[in-house]
């Protein structure tokens, strides 16, 4: 595969942990734990393939509706994962960032997030972006609030103004969005920046998503012609 056909930003909707656990008669949290290990491998695979940004949808603004036990279990998993992975990611010059609301997360998770962002902020390698308490509509609403608060005149607001006020304005739009588990929806992920993203759906449940599936997604992307509403884009 030529380096020119590698998507710069791959975004992943990691779906199917619960079904993976249910099929085995296990509690849902064990599906999430297996999902964490798959994420670890996916970061390595993405980095090895030359992907520069890997964003993952870990917890949506709607996920608070899940049972208290599952939500608490996920928050603990996120914190443990970040603490464990920040060192190895930094060792490969990777940077870790977060997108989403922070005001509803447990204090200890916010501290862990802030420390991880701070300690890797100058790393030039792959950026792992974890979307926690993230919602695309919320991101757009937050951008509008920031624009109004800045006193910008309504007639001065353009698409670029909106783009500049998203959570991570310096991150390029996702080239490829992968969703596992056979579901074919965006579910409020990256709504503003996903306008021209290529979509790849696989039946594999997230805990079964391995190197082969990742490579299949990259191969599918490499074979596509991106028009973005205009002429065919050189890959
Ligand atoms: C979807 O499975 C998965 C999530 C709700 C996200 C949690 C993701 C992980 C734990 C992977 C690792 C992430 C990090 C940041 C450490 P589901 O529960 O929606 O599955 P179902 O649709 O089969 O019930």
């Amino acid at each position: 595969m030529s380096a020119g056909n590698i998507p710069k930003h791959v975004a992943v909707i990691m779906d199917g942990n619960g079904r993976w656990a249910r099929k085995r008669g296990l509690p849902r949290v064990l599906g999430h734990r297996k999902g964490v290990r798959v994420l670890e491998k996916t970061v390595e695979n993405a980095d090895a393939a030359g992907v520069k940004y890997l964003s993952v949808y870990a917890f949506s603004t709607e996920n608070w509706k899940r049972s208290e036990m599952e939500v608490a279990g996920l928050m603990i998993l996120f914190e443990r994962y970040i603490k464990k992975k920040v060192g190895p990611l930094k060792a490969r010059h990777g940077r870790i960032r977060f997108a989403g609301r922070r005001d509803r997360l447990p204090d200890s998770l916010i501290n862990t997030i802030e420390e991880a962002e701070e300690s890797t902020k100058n790393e030039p390698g792959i950026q792992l972006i974890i979307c926690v308490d993230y919602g695309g509509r919320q991101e757009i609403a937050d951008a509008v609030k920031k624009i109004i608060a800045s006193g910008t005149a309504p007639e001065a607001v353009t698409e670029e103004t909106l783009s500049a006020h998203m959570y991570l304005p310096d991150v390029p739009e996702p080239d490829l969005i992968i969703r596992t588990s056979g579901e074919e929806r965006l579910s409020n992920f990256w709504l503003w920046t996903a306008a021209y993203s290529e979509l790849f759906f696989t039946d594999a449940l997230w805990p079964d998503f391995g190197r082969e599936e990742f490579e299949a997604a990259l191969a599918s992307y490499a074979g596509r012609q991106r028009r973005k509403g205009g002429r065919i884009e050189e890959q």
Side-chain angles (χ1 to χ4, degrees):
M1 199 181 291
S2 82
N5 290 338
I6 299 294
K8 205 170 183 185
H9 179 177
V10 175
V12 188
I13 303 176
M14 309 177 287
D15 200 6
N17 295 347
R19 277 163 283 168
W20 183 90
R22 195 170 60 233
K23 269 174 43 184
R24 287 163 178 76
L26 299 170
R28 293 176 63 81
V29 70
L30 291 189
H32 294 315
R33 259 193 230 166
K34 178 74 169 48
V36 174
R37 293 200 292 277
V38 170
L39 175 60
E40 292 172 354
K41 281 275 160 220
T42 305
V43 175
E44 288 171 20
N45 292 336
D47 197 17
V51 169
K52 301 292 178 215
Y53 300 83
L54 177 72
S55 60
V56 295
Y57 205 6
F59 194 88
S60 75
T61 46
E62 289 77 35
N63 283 156
W64 296 107
K65 294 184 203 132
R66 296 190 174 199
S67 76
E68 225 173 280
M69 198 173 90
E70 184 172 358
V71 169
L74 281 169
M75 296 298 150
I76 291 169
L77 273 186
F78 297 152
E79 200 173 320
R80 271 199 215 140
Y81 170 85
I82 301 161
K83 283 191 171 142
K84 185 171 151 210
K85 283 292 145 189
V86 70
L89 193 66
K90 202 173 150 96
R92 55 165 70 221
H93 303 297
R95 181 171 172 191
I96 189 161
R97 304 175 78 178
F98 296 83
R101 285 178 64 162
R102 300 204 178 175
D103 57 310
R104 301 189 288 192
L105 299 176
D107 287 343
S108 60
L109 178 57
I110 298 173
N111 290 338
T112 305
I113 284 175
E114 287 174 352
E115 279 170 24
E117 282 182 324
E118 181 60 27
S119 91
T120 61
K121 70 178 180 197
N122 294 321
E123 297 298 337
I126 188 167
Q127 295 199 14
L128 170 63
I129 298 155
I130 302 182
C131 300
V132 186
D133 200 6
Y134 174 87
R137 290 181 174 180
Q138 179 75 57
E139 181 179 26
I140 295 167
D142 285 346
V144 172
K145 279 187 214 162
K146 285 182 246 169
I147 294 165
I148 293 173
S150 74
T152 309
E155 56 280 9
V157 176
T158 62
E159 290 187 17
E160 288 69 34
T161 320
L162 264 293
S163 295
H165 289 84
M166 293 295 144
Y167 292 141
L168 302 172
D170 61 298
V171 172
E173 299 183 355
D175 301 294
L176 173 67
I177 299 182
I178 299 172
R179 184 170 188 153
T180 58
S181 89
E183 306 291 341
E184 301 190 351
R185 313 183 271 287
L186 277 183
S187 298
N188 206 12
F189 191 35
W190 284 146
L191 288 190
W192 179 263
T193 51
Y196 294 103
S197 303
E198 297 291 328
L199 307 178
F200 180 85
F201 301 108
T202 170
D203 286 337
L205 301 174
W206 176 249
D208 294 323
F209 185 86
R211 195 186 174 126
E212 259 175 49
E213 285 76 18
F214 186 67
E215 283 177 356
L218 294 188
S220 167
Y221 175 85
R224 300 184 193 191
Q225 292 179 330
R226 303 190 72 197
R227 289 196 176 82
K228 294 189 172 178
R231 64 178 185 80
I232 294 170
E233 194 182 85
E234 291 293 321
Q235 294 265 7

